[in-house]
Amino acid sequence: MTEKATLTIDDRSYEFDMFTGAENERCIDITHLRKETGCITMDPGYGNTGSCYSSITYVDGAKGILRYRGYPIEELAQKAGFVEVCYLILHGELPTARQLADFRAEIAGHAALHENLKIHFSGLPHSAPPMALLSAMLNLVSCFHPEVLEVVAEGEEFERTAALLLSKVRTIAAFSYRMAYGKPFIHPNPNLSYCANFLHMMFSEPYQEYVASPVIEKALNLFLVLHADHEQNCSTSTVRVVGSSRANLFSSVSAGVSALWGPLHGGANAAVIKMLEEIKSSGQPIDHYLDMAKDKNNNVRLMGFGHRVYKNFDPRSVILKKRVYEVLDELQQEDPLLDIALELEEKTLKDDYFVSRNLYPNVDFYSGILLRAIGIPINMYTVMFAIGRMPGWIANWRELLEHKQRISRPRQIYTGSTTREFVELRDRG
Ligand code: SDX
């Protein structure tokens, strides 16, 4: 028997169906609210609004739980490779050895970019933001593969399109780095793993092959696994909104890249490092920065802290914090920013402003330090987040089509001028 919610407006009661999800989350289905009551809901930022039913990722913000298709992030981080996690997120099940080998081969086979695409890199200033390049190039790549412009969410066509996108996003990222530093493009090597091939395209030289150490390759793999999906965050919701108009996958994820760019979302990983570097160079005590973040008179936030959903530790931050130590130790590197980050975290845990608002380190707080250890430059940090999130974006795009989701078109409450007559220019004074 379907549970009901009752809403009373102007002494009249209305009933709406309720739905309980796999993890006992409950929702009120207001699909027919406006038709029945003439009212809409208002929820700026959608903090209380569900946009879809999804079986891809589950986050419990109170308990600090994150699972991809039911598998805890802690296990996947420990035991799974990024391509394996991509397969899981896209298909809903972990791959067999044969399925994984075929998927890897499919991705490896799509790594190269069309020669004509490369001229678009050379026409850009070296200072071009890599996120701008990524968003643009994702649409441009589809011009060289007209078959991906078809909106197909199943079968071999979809599998090929997904593999092509997972592969090319990595090449575009590496090429944008090479262009920014005036270096020649390094072609992909299909014999290398996903992460090793990316690092090869980033750091090899024409006559000097870069061979990633197992520590570095494993650290990059972990970074990508931790970023692979995260329910209906800002960028994934953007991919769904664009995809809901039945725009193709490449244009939908291109929009997702733009949404991810913002410092409140994926841009935070770079903003954290800039904040830590400023703390280090300013000579100011850390409390000075905490006070600024607490002072409502300025627009300063403690980057890498807080989360719309996690009101406990972000499990990804816990994993990254542990791994950063290990990677720096294995590489025999020291990073003074890590010490500052640890002190910052420690102080917030004792500060009522942060504790009372459940502001804990999120995925972006330690991820930049890991990327520094790997040797990725700061202007590429959010690009790395986009590479990691690609499987989640693709899976959500596909799911909305599988569910035949209507085009997204929120309502509004108008607060502007009511009707008035046009005034001729001569009469306006
Ligand atoms: C990601 O959604 C996802 O899943 C995102 C993500 C993913 O995997 O896709 O997890 C990745 O984007 C992580 C978040 C990265 N962004 C940052 O680190 C930027 C800093 N954080 C904040 O801007 C903020 O915490 C957000 C954007 C993450 C969340 O914003 P909300 O949910 O809208 O929270 P809010 O702005 O309503 O803040 C509630 C209160 C406010 O104070 P009061 O009005 O109650 O007095 O907390 C304060 C805020 O001022 N606050 C902060 C703060 N974050 C919130 N104060 C200081 N520093 C901060 N970082």
Side-chain angles (χ1 to χ4, degrees):
M1 202 261 280
T2 305
E3 284 185 281
K4 299 282 185 185
T6 303
L7 182 62
T8 302
I9 303 174
D10 303 334
D11 299 330
R12 186 175 163 196
S13 292
Y14 304 85
E15 278 204 336
F16 297 95
D17 289 346
M18 294 190 72
F19 179 82
T20 301
E23 295 287 349
N24 296 318
E25 300 162 295
R26 302 172 76 197
C27 74
I28 302 165
D29 183 341
I30 57 167
T31 308
H32 303 298
L33 174 75
R34 189 169 182 275
K35 194 167 65 179
E36 291 188 24
T37 69
C39 296
I40 63 169
T41 59
M42 184 55 68
D43 185 19
Y46 306 120
N48 304 284
T49 299
S51 62
C52 61
Y53 295 100
S54 180
S55 59
I56 303 168
T57 293
Y58 172 66
V59 174
D60 181 325
K63 296 176 185 160
I65 289 173
L66 168 57
R67 299 188 195 121
Y68 300 155
R69 302 287 192 180
Y71 293 95
I73 192 64
E74 292 79 5
E75 276 204 272
L76 293 171
Q78 189 78 32
K79 301 171 184 172
F82 177 58
V83 172
E84 195 175 5
V85 166
C86 287
Y87 188 99
L88 169 66
I89 287 177
L90 288 175
H91 298 94
E93 298 296 337
L94 288 167
T96 61
R98 179 59 193 269
Q99 287 168 331
L100 184 55
D102 291 347
F103 191 48
R104 277 203 177 107
E106 178 81 19
I107 290 173
H110 290 302
L113 293 185
H114 192 288
E115 282 302 312
N116 289 5
L117 191 68
K118 295 175 186 171
I119 57 170
H120 296 289
F121 285 95
S122 54
L124 291 164
H126 286 186
S127 58
M131 283 296 272
L133 263 75
L134 184 61
S135 181
M137 290 296 172
L138 283 168
N139 264 313
L140 285 174
V141 160
S142 64
C143 302
F144 294 85
H145 299 273
E147 70 280 9
V148 305
L149 298 176
E150 294 302 314
V151 179
V152 176
E154 57 190 9
E156 281 186 21
E157 281 177 275
F158 170 78
E159 299 296 330
R160 183 180 180 282
T161 300
L164 192 145
L165 179 50
L166 288 168
S167 194
K168 298 227 187 283
V169 66
R170 177 189 46 173
T171 310
I172 293 169
F175 280 24
S176 62
Y177 164 76
R178 301 292 293 187
M179 183 278 288
Y181 288 85
K183 294 170 174 277
F185 295 139
I186 299 296
H187 291 286
N189 174 349
N191 302 317
L192 296 175
S193 73
Y194 190 92
C195 291
N197 206 356
F198 172 72
L199 294 165
H200 155 64
M201 289 190 277
M202 285 280 287
F203 301 128
S204 286
E205 296 306 336
Y207 307 105
Q208 178 67 43
E209 172 94 4
Y210 171 90
V211 179
S213 73
V215 172
I216 295 272
E217 188 177 347
K218 201 173 154 210
L220 177 56
N221 185 73
L222 172 70
F223 175 92
L224 296 175
V225 165
L226 293 178
H227 285 78
D229 194 42
H230 211 248
E231 292 191 350
Q232 302 310 311
N233 57 83
C234 179
S235 53
T236 300
S237 299
T238 302
V239 170
R240 278 186 174 256
V241 167
V242 174
S244 75
S245 73
R246 295 339 185 233
N248 69 73
L249 176 58
F250 279 65
S251 61
S252 300
V253 299
S254 171
V257 168
S258 300
L260 187 72
W261 194 351
L264 296 188
H265 190 14
N269 53 20
V272 167
I273 294 300
K274 288 174 186 158
M275 174 183 74
L276 295 175
E277 283 176 335
E278 189 194 324
I279 293 173
K280 176 170 170 283
S281 61
S282 72
Q284 293 274 9
I286 280 187
D287 289 329
H288 169 72
Y289 290 89
L290 293 181
D291 293 342
M292 281 209 302
K294 296 188 283 191
D295 179 357
K296 296 300 176 191
N297 297 319
N298 63 48
N299 207 14
V300 173
R301 293 217 156 172
L302 209 55
M303 301 315 281
F305 276 81
H307 199 277
R308 173 65 55 80
V309 176
Y310 288 119
K311 299 311 172 192
N312 192 318
F313 275 85
D314 180 333
R316 302 167 297 177
S317 169
V318 175
I319 294 166
L320 279 165
K321 178 180 175 182
K322 181 174 176 293
R323 190 78 189 105
V324 157
Y325 266 116
E326 293 164 0
V327 169
L328 289 173
D329 190 36
E330 287 158 0
L331 295 173
Q332 293 172 340
Q333 283 183 20
E334 284 191 6
D335 188 344
L337 299 190
L338 177 57
D339 299 331
I340 296 172
L342 293 169
E343 188 184 349
L344 207 50
E345 179 182 0
E346 192 184 334
K347 281 183 175 287
T348 57
L349 291 175
K350 298 170 189 158
D351 187 308
D352 182 58
Y353 173 92
F354 295 93
V355 174
S356 63
R357 292 169 176 80
N358 298 305
L359 302 177
Y360 298 103
N362 57 48
V363 66
D364 292 301
F365 189 57
Y366 288 105
S367 58
I369 297 175
L370 189 69
L371 292 173
R372 271 163 66 94
I374 293 171
I376 306 285
I378 191 168
N379 66 342
M380 291 284 291
Y381 286 7
T382 311
V383 170
M384 299 311 295
F385 191 146
I387 296 174
R389 188 53 50 90
M390 200 51 80
W393 287 341
I394 298 170
N396 275 274
W397 179 85
R398 176 199 223 174
E399 191 173 65
L400 87 89
L401 294 170
E402 282 174 339
H403 293 178
K404 296 182 174 48
Q405 189 156 331
R406 300 173 68 202
I407 188 169
S408 295
R409 204 279 184 211
R411 308 299 295 237
Q412 63 162 36
I413 293 294
Y414 178 69
T415 57
S417 303
T418 51
T419 184
R420 50 184 172 164
E421 284 190 28
F422 184 80
V423 177
E424 294 297 337
L425 184 58
R426 61 175 175 277
D427 300 333
R428 292 180 209 153

